Amino acid sequence: MIQHPEKPFSIEESLDSLNLFIRRWFEKRYKEPTPPQRYSFKLISEKRNVLITAPTGSGKTFSAFMSILSDLMNLSLANKLEDKVYCIYVSPLRALNNDIYRNLTGPLAELYSDIVLPIKRISVGIRTGDTPQSERQRMLKKPPNILVTTPESLAILINSERFVEHLKGVRYFVVDELHELANNKRGVHLSLSVERLAGIIGHDFTRIGMGATLAPLDEAARFLVGYSGEEERDCSVVDATWDKKLDFVAMSPVRDIVNASDAVIDNSIYRTIDAVIRKNRTTLVFTNTRSGTERVVYNLIKRFKYGEEHIAAHHGSLSRETRLGVEELLKKGKLKAAVSSTSLELGIDIGTIDNVVQIGSPKSVARAVQRIGRSGHSFSDTAKGEVIVTNRDDLVECSVMLDAAMKRHMDTFVTPKNALDVLSQHIVGMSQTKKWTIDEAYALVRNAYPYHTLTKADFLSVVEYLAGKYVGLESRRVYAKIWYDEREGAFGRKGKLTKLIYFMNIGTIPDEVAVDVLTHDNKWIGSIEEEFLSRLKPGDVFVLGGKQYSFDYSRIMKAYVTPAPGQVPTIPPWYSEQLPLTYELAIEIGRFRERMADAIGSVKGKGVKALGLLDRSMLAPSGEALKILDAMPIDANAKAAIFNYFVQQLLYVGQVPNDRMLLIERTVDKEGGRTLVIFHSLYGRRINDALSRVFAVKLGEAAETDVAVNITDNGFVLITDSSVKVNRKDVEALIGAAGGDDVRVILTENIRKTEMMKRRFRYNAARSFMILRNYKGVRISVRRQQINSQLILKAAEEISRDFPIIKETYREILDDVMDLPRAAQILKRLVSGEIRHSIIETDVPSPFAHMMITFGEADVIMMKDRRRHVRELHKQVIARIRKG
């Protein structure tokens, strides 16, 4: 049962629950417990399962560890502290593990310096992939009392016959940055490891979860504690998320963001960032891509003569040594600013940050709060931040995002359910420890929250695959990893080599490499990320080396393209790098659009001249719309830009699309003569990915042609060549056709031959040991893995389309990469009329469509071209508004 304590314990109750020595140390160092500590000290001391959600600087680490250290100190004073693991701490980052190690060993050293009694000291140790072999051997002889590790290392330890003996006394299990694990397969993998650990040691333990931005809290709690049979385990949720004060603002660099020149916009952005850096001791700047990070650092140094000792970049493509060096300089307060993509948004200790600048939308309320919350080191400090936005769609998005944060509206995560590839890996691991009955193993697996709804049929299909039931796979060198006696209903270990395969191939993070891009005469152009390739469809146009290319097909780790000079890109190079807009935030934006449209009213009847659109002057926000904008955390430029954006959309087409009204706009690309059918579907990129494929399939069938697709968070564009005419009646028929069939069947057929299917199947085949990343100590190249996986996919399909790893690949794409459940629901509501739709024809796309149709131009090289394109479209719209 999930419980939400109504109020914290008193300070005295909280401190009184601690060991006397621990309490004295705490009171000597801190004034009083922070809000999350006033809940957690006593709850954990009572061995309750606890989920703690609180901002950076709120003392989350000690919220979890004070009561644990207190318990271990009591054991030590009673001369009962043994050389075994009492507490396991898991985080998704090795760097965070190192921080926790320092944050525990430092206070323990202080603590013991004040104790004159000859007592055994509490020990702390780290076990990750970086741990030297000598240290691992030392831990086997003398394990630490608190073990700091990662999900992958834990999975190895529970299969280590020698080390698992040291885990028999585990009392506490701590998971940090829970939100970074609960929404992906690393977290799913961890949840099974935790249940296996409980089964191996023969008793349960106190489970403690921590995170800065968790929603929904009840689902996060269930992920943490799981089930005991059919009963949900108890968990107390400590919610101190909003106890830290926030002070942030969304900013437009200029008042007229459309007509301002590129130089004016860029100068204003960098002057704003520079001003923030100069008035603060240390500033953290977030971009959304690695290339953006490098560009910002370069421009700040070039424009304002900062030295490299003042500003540094930090992102995943830099070496570990470089990243650690930047983190160390931040801790010492020696950097004026660090610029990061995503790598510094988690709880790594980087010292005191005075201010955070976010450039562009971070795409979720949770991420905005997480990033800005890195400023203000102590719990009583105010987190300060500016979000600088460079286009009108992002400006609306960020304004609503920060307003939602002020109102405590958090977007949610979703845990992948019943992942059969991860299950395969764990069944192999389980088989190494003992003989299992099917019923016993199935019951244990279902105790993990992500597998509580797993059907027995799916469980058995995985066991049968691992036992080599599918003989056709042996020709592809996929051999049995376990034995399975169907009559006895039991399975177990098969062969000594399987143990080595398990240890050498464990984990869920796929191997990825750069993919060569070549023309058909084998001329090498450059390389792209493999994840980017997985998003490409034949006909997609992208920019590489400053030139446009149309993607044709791939062969293993090579992508073949045709030069496409002059064609508008449909997909920017950072497309796979940037996270999609969350559904909850999209709905909030839809509601804001509806309110603003109602507030502005029917502006068509007010006269163009009175609205000031006969010249290029900006309208001043007024009336009810001004009241709405004044209540939001945005600057004056932002208010003006947003107000004018809505006025222009209403003057031009009389309609503002929102989450309850789908505007479908048919227009023609003046340059190429192509027909564009623009769906203003404000539901986020994951849902739009699914919707766009359904409509593209149906339009392609009706017109007997290939349909190109351009997908954004605010909608999608169906593109046909100039010979295909799509009229209003055709568009109306599309809606009925799209809602008439099983959407899952349509999409399953659509993605079968895609790059995404090829890559995702390889990832899942590697997780389920169908293909190996390491064999007998030899690293298998990604190229060889891809070749093997494509051969295996073909063989598996001949066996059954319901083969477990194929089934999992479709589930992952449709439910995790896309959001088919919500997309199907939206289609149903659209067909029923619950979501209204309006079809219009425009000779120039409406203002709300401009960012969508220029989406592919939004990268480092093409950004100025994109702005120029938007300016040209804007001028044409204004010209038509003037004509009435």
Side-chain angles (χ1 to χ4, degrees):
M1 180 178 176
I2 309 301
Q3 301 167 324
H4 296 261
E6 292 184 4
K7 60 180 181 178
F9 297 99
S10 69
I11 292 174
E12 188 56 36
E13 279 182 295
S14 297
L15 295 175
D16 200 43
S17 67
L18 302 177
N19 168 277
L20 181 60
F21 289 109
I22 299 292
R23 175 174 178 167
R24 283 178 182 170
W25 174 86
F26 184 86
E27 290 180 312
K28 182 179 175 182
R29 200 181 223 217
Y30 302 102
K31 291 180 181 179
E32 61 182 40
T34 62
Q37 292 169 349
R38 285 182 57 188
Y39 284 98
S40 61
F41 285 1
K42 188 163 179 61
L43 288 171
I44 296 172
S45 72
E46 294 172 353
K47 305 297 189 290
R48 307 267 195 96
N49 296 326
V50 178
L51 174 67
I52 305 165
T53 177
T56 302
S58 60
K60 281 197 302 293
T61 301
F62 286 148
S63 294
F65 277 107
M66 280 295 99
S67 294
I68 296 171
L69 292 173
S70 181
D71 187 19
L72 298 186
M73 182 59 74
N74 287 336
L75 287 175
S76 180
L77 291 168
N79 201 28
K80 293 181 180 178
L81 186 67
E82 301 177 40
D83 288 333
K84 61 183 180 182
V85 178
Y86 292 92
C87 170
I88 297 175
Y89 165 94
V90 172
S91 91
L93 295 175
R94 293 176 186 177
L96 190 52
N97 285 340
N98 292 329
D99 276 346
I100 291 296
Y101 178 80
R102 286 191 294 268
N103 290 339
L104 289 176
T105 53
L108 282 171
E110 292 177 19
L111 178 70
Y112 286 113
S113 67
D114 291 336
I115 299 176
V116 295
L117 298 173
I119 59 173
K120 188 168 186 176
R121 296 194 171 201
I122 300 166
S123 58
V124 184
I126 297 183
R127 172 64 187 267
T128 69
D130 292 336
T131 305
Q133 191 61 38
S134 58
E135 179 62 16
R136 298 182 190 191
Q137 290 299 317
R138 192 191 69 77
M139 281 189 190
L140 273 175
K141 297 174 184 175
K142 188 176 182 180
N145 301 134
I146 299 174
L147 176 64
V148 178
T149 189
T150 61
E152 292 75 20
S153 291
L154 175 66
I156 290 172
L157 292 175
I158 60 176
N159 261 72
S160 171
E161 294 176 22
R162 292 175 64 191
F163 198 87
V164 82
E165 289 301 314
H166 299 313
L167 301 177
K168 295 289 178 72
V170 168
R171 298 184 179 192
Y172 305 95
F173 196 95
V174 183
V175 184
D176 204 352
E177 302 292 354
L178 190 77
H179 55 285
E180 284 296 312
L181 291 168
N183 66 350
N184 58 54
K185 287 189 175 180
R186 284 188 83 195
V188 172
H189 193 277
L190 175 64
S191 70
L192 279 177
S193 292
V194 175
E195 294 305 330
R196 285 179 57 197
L197 174 64
I200 288 167
I201 67 179
H203 63 83
D204 209 347
F205 30 75
T206 301
R207 303 172 192 225
I208 305 163
M210 299 185 287
T213 48
L214 286 168
L217 285 171
D218 284 9
E219 181 169 3
R222 292 186 183 100
F223 173 85
L224 173 68
V225 300
Y227 293 79
S228 179
E230 296 304 316
E231 293 294 318
E232 188 177 276
R233 292 191 181 102
D234 292 338
C235 186
S236 296
V237 176
V238 174
D239 183 6
T241 311
W242 302 101
D243 282 25
K244 189 170 184 176
K245 294 190 262 327
L246 300 171
D247 179 10
F248 41 52
V249 62
M251 306 171 68
S252 172
V254 293
R255 183 175 173 82
D256 188 349
I257 202 168
V258 178
N259 288 310
S261 69
D262 297 325
V264 168
I265 290 174
D266 286 349
N267 287 338
S268 179
I269 289 171
Y270 286 109
R271 279 200 304 269
T272 301
I273 299 172
D274 175 57
V276 172
I277 292 172
R278 291 189 186 280
K279 74 179 181 182
N280 290 291
R281 190 177 63 178
T282 307
T283 299
L284 189 54
V285 181
F286 282 107
T287 67
N288 291 323
T289 63
R290 296 168 187 180
S291 59
T293 294
E294 295 291 350
R295 190 167 69 252
V296 169
V297 170
Y298 171 80
N299 272 284
L300 287 173
I301 291 174
K302 180 183 177 183
R303 290 167 182 260
F304 304 107
K305 310 304 179 187
Y306 288 107
E308 292 184 359
E309 69 275 14
H310 299 132
I311 295 178
H314 189 289
H315 56 72
S317 294
L318 297 171
S319 69
R320 180 172 178 269
E321 290 73 20
T322 299
R323 295 197 308 272
L324 289 175
V326 173
E327 291 163 23
E328 197 59 35
L329 289 172
L330 280 170
K331 285 177 200 173
K332 293 177 179 177
K334 292 185 176 181
L335 278 180
K336 284 291 293 177
V339 186
S340 174
S341 51
T342 60
S343 52
L344 287 178
E345 75 177 31
L346 295 184
I348 302 168
D349 183 10
I350 51 174
T352 299
I353 302 296
D354 301 312
N355 203 99
V356 170
V357 176
Q358 166 70 46
I359 302 174
S361 173
K363 296 296 177 182
S364 82
V365 179
R367 195 166 296 107
V369 172
Q370 176 88 11
R371 290 181 175 184
I372 294 170
R374 301 246 50 192
S375 65
H377 193 64
S378 73
F379 192 64
S380 59
D381 291 342
T382 298
K384 296 181 180 180
E386 292 82 19
V387 180
I388 304 173
V389 187
T390 57
N391 70 67
R392 295 188 295 184
D393 279 350
D394 273 7
L395 189 54
V396 171
E397 186 176 300
C398 290
S399 300
V400 175
M401 179 190 304
L402 296 187
D403 188 54
M406 297 295 283
K407 294 173 180 174
R408 306 187 178 191
H409 296 171
M410 192 71 72
D411 27 38
T412 63
F413 71 88
V414 177
T415 300
K417 301 290 173 56
N418 306 321
L420 302 183
D421 54 341
V422 177
L423 176 62
S424 300
Q425 195 172 125
H426 274 283
I427 288 176
V428 173
M430 291 165 70
S431 74
Q432 299 297 304
T433 61
K434 69 170 192 174
K435 173 183 172 181
W436 293 81
T437 68
I438 290 295
D439 289 343
E440 178 191 16
Y442 178 57
L444 182 143
V445 166
R446 288 185 68 249
N447 283 344
Y449 172 69
Y451 290 96
H452 193 63
T453 59
L454 178 72
T455 66
K456 197 164 190 179
D458 278 344
F459 181 82
L460 284 171
S461 73
V462 172
V463 171
E464 288 170 350
Y465 142 62
L466 292 170
K469 177 182 177 181
Y470 304 104
V471 178
L473 291 177
E474 289 195 354
S475 64
R476 301 300 181 194
R477 297 184 180 179
V478 180
Y479 302 110
K481 308 293 189 302
I482 64 173
W483 62 260
Y484 169 46
D485 189 320
E486 198 168 346
R487 287 175 300 176
E488 187 184 355
F491 69 88
R493 178 173 56 192
K494 184 181 179 73
K496 294 180 179 178
L497 185 58
T498 304
K499 184 175 184 179
L500 184 62
I501 288 173
Y502 177 79
F503 281 129
M504 296 297 292
N505 293 273
I506 205 165
T508 61
I509 302 172
D511 291 338
E512 290 194 17
V513 295
V515 175
D516 287 332
V517 178
L518 304 104
T519 57
H520 292 279
D521 57 0
N522 283 316
K523 178 185 176 184
W524 185 79
I525 298 165
S527 61
I528 55 177
E529 293 179 354
E530 189 181 358
E531 179 63 20
F532 178 65
L533 172 64
S534 75
R535 302 279 180 169
L536 292 177
K537 302 178 296 296
D540 273 338
V541 177
F542 64 97
V543 178
L544 186 61
K547 297 180 180 179
Q548 293 99 313
Y549 297 93
S550 175
F551 172 69
D552 295 319
Y553 62 89
S554 77
R555 289 287 182 269
I556 313 303
M557 304 311 291
K558 295 178 181 178
Y560 289 89
V561 299
T562 300
Q567 287 196 36
V568 177
T570 59
I571 181 167
W574 48 253
Y575 180 68
S576 61
E577 194 178 340
Q578 190 175 55
L579 294 166
L581 182 71
T582 62
Y583 174 73
E584 289 81 10
L585 182 52
I587 297 303
E588 292 275 359
I589 296 168
R591 290 170 181 163
F592 171 76
R593 282 185 176 186
E594 191 170 13
R595 287 172 59 219
M596 279 294 291
D598 289 344
I600 294 171
S602 179
V603 296
K604 271 196 166 181
K606 293 184 178 180
V608 175
K609 185 173 182 178
L611 287 166
L613 289 171
L614 286 177
D615 55 31
R616 290 179 60 184
S617 63
M618 296 279 287
L619 298 178
S622 59
E624 189 63 30
L626 180 59
K627 291 180 183 178
I628 294 171
L629 294 170
D630 276 344
M632 303 178 79
I634 59 180
D635 71 352
N637 283 346
K639 292 174 189 177
I642 292 171
F643 181 75
N644 281 269
Y645 192 26
F646 278 78
V647 166
Q648 290 158 17
Q649 176 73 15
L650 283 166
L651 278 173
Y652 188 56
V653 297
Q655 301 177 77
V656 169
N658 58 61
D659 59 297
R660 298 192 301 163
M661 198 284 280
L662 178 67
L663 181 63
I664 304 171
E665 183 176 349
R666 181 199 168 279
T667 190
V668 175
D669 172 21
K670 291 292 190 292
E671 292 183 8
R674 301 173 300 172
T675 298
L676 307 180
V677 184
I678 305 166
F679 286 72
H680 294 262
S681 51
L682 182 58
Y683 303 113
R685 199 168 76 214
R686 291 176 61 221
I687 291 173
N688 286 338
D689 196 348
L691 291 176
S692 67
R693 290 171 190 264
V694 174
F695 281 107
V697 166
K698 291 303 177 183
L699 180 58
E701 289 174 354
E704 298 182 346
T705 186
D706 291 331
V707 178
V709 180
N710 184 353
I711 308 163
T712 75
D713 286 311
N714 289 353
F716 57 91
V717 184
L718 306 183
I719 307 167
T720 64
D721 63 44
S722 56
S723 64
V724 179
K725 305 301 178 187
V726 183
N727 58 36
R728 186 189 198 89
K729 189 176 179 181
D730 296 328
V731 176
E732 192 70 60
L734 267 183
I735 294 174
D741 294 318
D742 186 330
V743 180
R744 187 171 287 271
V745 172
I746 295 173
L747 290 177
T748 299
E749 290 301 318
N750 175 259
I751 64 179
R752 167 59 193 93
K753 301 295 183 182
T754 62
E755 292 299 321
M756 186 176 291
M757 180 68 185
K758 294 177 189 176
R759 307 291 151 181
R760 292 281 170 173
F761 179 78
R762 190 193 88 220
Y763 300 166
N764 293 339
R767 293 186 190 113
S768 56
F769 302 152
M770 291 189 79
I771 61 172
L772 302 179
R773 293 178 289 179
N774 289 278
Y775 184 67
K776 294 183 177 179
V778 177
R779 188 83 176 172
I780 310 299
S781 71
V782 175
R783 182 178 184 278
R784 174 50 58 186
Q785 290 179 43
Q786 190 64 41
I787 293 172
N788 292 344
S789 72
Q790 288 183 211
L791 293 171
I792 291 168
L793 174 59
K794 187 176 180 180
E797 283 183 323
E798 290 171 359
I799 294 169
S800 170
R801 288 291 291 271
D802 280 334
F803 184 79
I805 310 308
I806 294 178
K807 184 176 181 178
E808 170 56 24
T809 304
Y810 283 121
R811 187 213 63 77
E812 180 181 292
I813 293 172
L814 296 178
D815 295 348
D816 299 348
V817 178
M818 300 178 196
D819 187 347
L820 177 58
R822 283 192 177 123
Q825 187 62 31
I826 287 166
L827 268 179
K828 184 178 178 181
R829 292 170 60 203
L830 183 62
V831 172
S832 71
E834 184 183 345
I835 294 176
R836 295 177 294 112
H837 71 275
S838 175
I839 302 170
I840 61 173
E841 295 196 11
T842 54
D843 60 346
V844 176
S846 69
F848 275 35
H850 293 177
M851 299 309 296
M852 274 196 271
I853 64 176
T854 61
F855 176 68
E857 300 163 50
D859 68 273
V860 179
I861 298 164
M862 302 290 289
M863 185 64 78
K864 291 184 179 180
D865 289 340
R866 186 192 199 195
R867 289 177 183 164
R868 193 177 302 117
H869 194 174
V870 169
R871 277 198 296 270
E872 181 56 37
L873 290 170
H874 177 72
K875 288 176 184 176
Q876 293 177 40
V877 165
I878 296 299
R880 281 156 179 78
I881 291 174
R882 288 174 184 160
K883 289 178 181 178

